[in-house]
Amino acid sequence: MSYDDPKPAQPVSLLPGQAAPTNTATSELKVMAGGTPVYKRILDLFEAEGIKTLFGIPDPNFVHLCLEAEARGWTVVSPHHEAAAGFMAEAASRITGKPAVCFGTLGPGLANMMPAIQCCKVENSPVIFIGGQRARVTERRVRRGRIQFVRQEPMIEDSVKYSGAIEYAEQTDEVVREAIRVAMSGTPGPTYIEYPSHIILEELDVPEVLPPHRYRLTNQGADGDRIAEAAELILKAKNPILLVGHAVHTTKSGEAVKALALKMNCPVIQTSGGTSYIEGIEDRTFQYVFSDASIEAVEASDCVVALATELGEPLHFGRWRHWYAGEANRKWIYVQQDPTAIGVNRPIDVPLVGDVRAVVPQLTRALGEGRPAGEDLAKFMRDGQAELDELAIETLTKSDGTGNVPVHTSRFIVEATKAFPKDGIMIRDGGASVVFGWTYNQCKPNDVIWNQNYGHIGTGLPYATGAMLADIAETGVTRPGMLVTSDSSFLFHIAELEVAVRRNLPLVCVVAVDFQWGLEVGVYKRTFGPGTAETGTHWSDKVRFDKIAEGLGAHGEFVPTADGIGPAIARAYARGGPTVIHVPIDPKANSEEMPKYDKFRTWYAEGTQ
């Protein structure tokens, strides 16, 4: 039934404590003849996609949605800031391989979500954002001084792949499906649904919910002839490599990629955004640039199979620096869902256009018995592990916090990551501490949550809570989480620690504390030399994160020495619930001794790549 159907309206269904409409400005909240309220139908459509979590701060537009979702067994999470809600939803999409949903109240709520929306755009995360809005009768009037009102679609439409509004109840299916369809098609990304108050309680007659494959393209395979070409190139290659991007992990394609890696008998090179390790092939997996074995493998390669990556700046577009010497003879096979991405950043020999979840098994089957193992792979595996072992030993010569100098950041990373639980979820955040982590990280987690393309610090706590809660909702299993972060980043959304307390999550936050913006202090020193003023980069040394944690209901420990980090982490997991471990680190080392910083800076080549 349409919104302006002439039949008499039925009485409005009211929740306890909800006032009946008393004037024309609110009379749009009518329950129309039919059976399914709009808010229930929205949940039906999301459930068809396997979505089980909902993030946002409820307001009058969303209280019906939240009550119904919780009654259905969904995990409904209310954070302390709408940006955090968006980051939680983004982490949920990464850990489940499905689209995620986040909502925000009209006006300031949606404005607060904009940082997360923009991050999802740059990080290619399929999050559906729903924004509350005043009834259209109010929005379209020519009035001054309207309360909590701004036109939202013009603010958001440049940051999403699709923006639509449910103007009439009967549009619910098409708008929600289009938001999901566009979010998951081509290069994934965020979409937006406007949810004006006049349609919340309208009811409509609806057909059965369609499964995803009935209304959008799912698991698209590649052209058979191109698959055969790709297999031929791989089998002829002397030194092929697999280049594994971020979307291998967000599509949950690890098992399929493992089968392909074993058929190819080759090294697996991680992009900077794809730093999760695939279970079972950790020992042949190396991080591009920050592992010497990765550089050797890239320089020796004559065939690259690139999976679910944009081939962006952190990869030198696959053309410059470590790729340059072998460019003339190296063949490129590119698995990419977005056909418009083919050939943009570098020429491609065999494009395999399709969903990595479908294309990788196609390619594995086409390889038959596969390639024999070569001597180079065994060498790379030995060298890669030897490098990690040597780095851990090297840090023993650095400050351990027992003297007048706090713990060296490299020691901090080694001790924290050595204590990472094998089945855990790793969450990363920070500036200088992340750069140290790229080199000194001692664990090989199968799930890593962080943002690389956008470089948005402060996402760590909401990423941690969002990923862990969505993982629990998806699997029914509670896994431990570890957030390795720095003090500046941790302060962005420190209130979200309360969410971890509320849900009793086994989350350990290991915080490197130097009371400064370490990366920015380093920029001052490299730009102007030692001794210059470092305006705007230092803050109070009175902050104690372990005490803040206790005030928010979590556990806290102050650990001044390197040898105390591992035992403190073990105690935290044994105790259960969230814990914050405050570790003072050397501010001078953190700003001046970032490992392989010269290599990191090559990502920002400003036109030379």
Side-chain angles (χ1 to χ4, degrees), residues 30 38 59 82 95 178 183 253 302 384 425 505 562:
K30 298 174 182 176
V38 168
D59 80 334
E82 287 87 354
I95 201 75
E178 182 70 357
S253 299
D302 58 354
I425 301 171
L505 296 177

PDB file of all heavy atoms in Angstrom, residues 30 38 59 82 95 178 183 253 302 384 425 505 562:
ATOM      1  N   LYS A  30       1.510   6.809  11.080  1.00  0.00           N
ATOM      2  CA  LYS A  30       0.299   6.002  11.006  1.00  0.00           C
ATOM      3  C   LYS A  30       0.658   4.573  10.633  1.00  0.00           C
ATOM      4  O   LYS A  30       1.543   4.333   9.828  1.00  0.00           O
ATOM      5  CB  LYS A  30      -0.646   6.562   9.936  1.00  0.00           C
ATOM      6  CG  LYS A  30      -1.135   7.983  10.216  1.00  0.00           C
ATOM      7  CD  LYS A  30      -1.942   8.496   9.030  1.00  0.00           C
ATOM      8  CE  LYS A  30      -2.411   9.915   9.256  1.00  0.00           C
ATOM      9  NZ  LYS A  30      -3.116  10.464   8.076  1.00  0.00           N
ATOM     10  N   VAL A  38       7.751  -1.368   8.810  1.00  0.00           N
ATOM     11  CA  VAL A  38       8.973  -1.116   8.051  1.00  0.00           C
ATOM     12  C   VAL A  38      10.210  -1.558   8.814  1.00  0.00           C
ATOM     13  O   VAL A  38      11.119  -2.186   8.257  1.00  0.00           O
ATOM     14  CB  VAL A  38       9.068   0.377   7.671  1.00  0.00           C
ATOM     15  CG1 VAL A  38      10.454   0.716   7.133  1.00  0.00           C
ATOM     16  CG2 VAL A  38       8.003   0.736   6.633  1.00  0.00           C
ATOM     17  N   ASP A  59      17.730   6.285  19.241  1.00  0.00           N
ATOM     18  CA  ASP A  59      16.945   7.506  19.406  1.00  0.00           C
ATOM     19  C   ASP A  59      15.535   7.176  18.931  1.00  0.00           C
ATOM     20  O   ASP A  59      15.242   6.021  18.586  1.00  0.00           O
ATOM     21  CB  ASP A  59      17.584   8.669  18.631  1.00  0.00           C
ATOM     22  CG  ASP A  59      17.263   8.634  17.146  1.00  0.00           C
ATOM     23  OD1 ASP A  59      16.994   7.529  16.617  1.00  0.00           O
ATOM     24  OD2 ASP A  59      17.268   9.691  16.513  1.00  0.00           O
ATOM     25  N   GLU A  82      29.135   8.101  17.975  1.00  0.00           N
ATOM     26  CA  GLU A  82      28.683   7.506  16.715  1.00  0.00           C
ATOM     27  C   GLU A  82      29.835   7.125  15.789  1.00  0.00           C
ATOM     28  O   GLU A  82      29.723   6.173  15.006  1.00  0.00           O
ATOM     29  CB  GLU A  82      27.721   8.447  15.983  1.00  0.00           C
ATOM     30  CG  GLU A  82      26.340   8.555  16.603  1.00  0.00           C
ATOM     31  CD  GLU A  82      26.254   9.623  17.685  1.00  0.00           C
ATOM     32  OE1 GLU A  82      27.304  10.201  18.043  1.00  0.00           O
ATOM     33  OE2 GLU A  82      25.129   9.895  18.163  1.00  0.00           O
ATOM     34  N   ILE A  95      35.630  -9.054  10.076  1.00  0.00           N
ATOM     35  CA  ILE A  95      35.799 -10.338  10.757  1.00  0.00           C
ATOM     36  C   ILE A  95      34.807 -11.386  10.267  1.00  0.00           C
ATOM     37  O   ILE A  95      35.064 -12.587  10.342  1.00  0.00           O
ATOM     38  CB  ILE A  95      35.697 -10.166  12.285  1.00  0.00           C
ATOM     39  CG1 ILE A  95      36.362 -11.334  13.032  1.00  0.00           C
ATOM     40  CG2 ILE A  95      34.257 -10.012  12.736  1.00  0.00           C
ATOM     41  CD1 ILE A  95      37.855 -11.306  13.022  1.00  0.00           C
ATOM     42  N   GLU A 178      19.277  -2.301  -2.709  1.00  0.00           N
ATOM     43  CA  GLU A 178      20.228  -1.537  -3.512  1.00  0.00           C
ATOM     44  C   GLU A 178      21.430  -1.125  -2.671  1.00  0.00           C
ATOM     45  O   GLU A 178      22.582  -1.157  -3.148  1.00  0.00           O
ATOM     46  CB  GLU A 178      19.554  -0.302  -4.112  1.00  0.00           C
ATOM     47  CG  GLU A 178      20.448   0.549  -5.002  1.00  0.00           C
ATOM     48  CD  GLU A 178      20.813  -0.113  -6.324  1.00  0.00           C
ATOM     49  OE1 GLU A 178      20.426  -1.284  -6.560  1.00  0.00           O
ATOM     50  OE2 GLU A 178      21.496   0.541  -7.141  1.00  0.00           O
ATOM     51  N   ALA A 183      27.013  -1.903  -2.059  1.00  0.00           N
ATOM     52  CA  ALA A 183      28.094  -2.047  -1.080  1.00  0.00           C
ATOM     53  C   ALA A 183      28.970  -3.251  -1.376  1.00  0.00           C
ATOM     54  O   ALA A 183      30.191  -3.213  -1.168  1.00  0.00           O
ATOM     55  CB  ALA A 183      27.516  -2.159   0.332  1.00  0.00           C
ATOM     56  N   SER A 253      38.505 -15.927   2.608  1.00  0.00           N
ATOM     57  CA  SER A 253      38.951 -16.818   1.533  1.00  0.00           C
ATOM     58  C   SER A 253      40.247 -17.550   1.870  1.00  0.00           C
ATOM     59  O   SER A 253      40.906 -18.092   0.983  1.00  0.00           O
ATOM     60  CB  SER A 253      39.150 -16.020   0.234  1.00  0.00           C
ATOM     61  OG  SER A 253      37.958 -15.416  -0.180  1.00  0.00           O
ATOM     62  N   ASP A 302      58.987 -14.243 -11.461  1.00  0.00           N
ATOM     63  CA  ASP A 302      58.713 -14.053 -12.887  1.00  0.00           C
ATOM     64  C   ASP A 302      57.224 -14.161 -13.200  1.00  0.00           C
ATOM     65  O   ASP A 302      56.801 -14.020 -14.345  1.00  0.00           O
ATOM     66  CB  ASP A 302      59.506 -15.053 -13.734  1.00  0.00           C
ATOM     67  CG  ASP A 302      59.220 -16.506 -13.370  1.00  0.00           C
ATOM     68  OD1 ASP A 302      58.489 -16.750 -12.382  1.00  0.00           O
ATOM     69  OD2 ASP A 302      59.734 -17.402 -14.057  1.00  0.00           O
ATOM     70  N   GLY A 384      63.181 -16.115   6.385  1.00  0.00           N
ATOM     71  CA  GLY A 384      62.141 -15.322   7.013  1.00  0.00           C
ATOM     72  C   GLY A 384      62.085 -15.552   8.514  1.00  0.00           C
ATOM     73  O   GLY A 384      61.994 -14.603   9.302  1.00  0.00           O
ATOM     74  N   ILE A 425      42.457 -12.574  18.230  1.00  0.00           N
ATOM     75  CA  ILE A 425      42.261 -11.538  17.218  1.00  0.00           C
ATOM     76  C   ILE A 425      43.211 -10.397  17.559  1.00  0.00           C
ATOM     77  O   ILE A 425      43.177  -9.855  18.666  1.00  0.00           O
ATOM     78  CB  ILE A 425      40.806 -11.028  17.225  1.00  0.00           C
ATOM     79  CG1 ILE A 425      39.832 -12.175  16.948  1.00  0.00           C
ATOM     80  CG2 ILE A 425      40.622  -9.915  16.199  1.00  0.00           C
ATOM     81  CD1 ILE A 425      38.363 -11.800  17.158  1.00  0.00           C
ATOM     82  N   LEU A 505      34.462  -8.655  27.670  1.00  0.00           N
ATOM     83  CA  LEU A 505      35.287  -9.214  26.602  1.00  0.00           C
ATOM     84  C   LEU A 505      36.703  -9.506  27.102  1.00  0.00           C
ATOM     85  O   LEU A 505      37.294  -8.694  27.821  1.00  0.00           O
ATOM     86  CB  LEU A 505      35.369  -8.233  25.429  1.00  0.00           C
ATOM     87  CG  LEU A 505      34.063  -7.919  24.709  1.00  0.00           C
ATOM     88  CD1 LEU A 505      34.296  -6.872  23.619  1.00  0.00           C
ATOM     89  CD2 LEU A 505      33.468  -9.185  24.101  1.00  0.00           C
ATOM     90  N   ALA A 562      60.458  -4.424  30.567  1.00  0.00           N
ATOM     91  CA  ALA A 562      60.133  -5.318  29.452  1.00  0.00           C
ATOM     92  C   ALA A 562      59.791  -6.721  29.923  1.00  0.00           C
ATOM     93  O   ALA A 562      58.887  -7.372  29.376  1.00  0.00           O
ATOM     94  CB  ALA A 562      61.299  -5.360  28.465  1.00  0.00           C
TER      95      ALA A 562
END
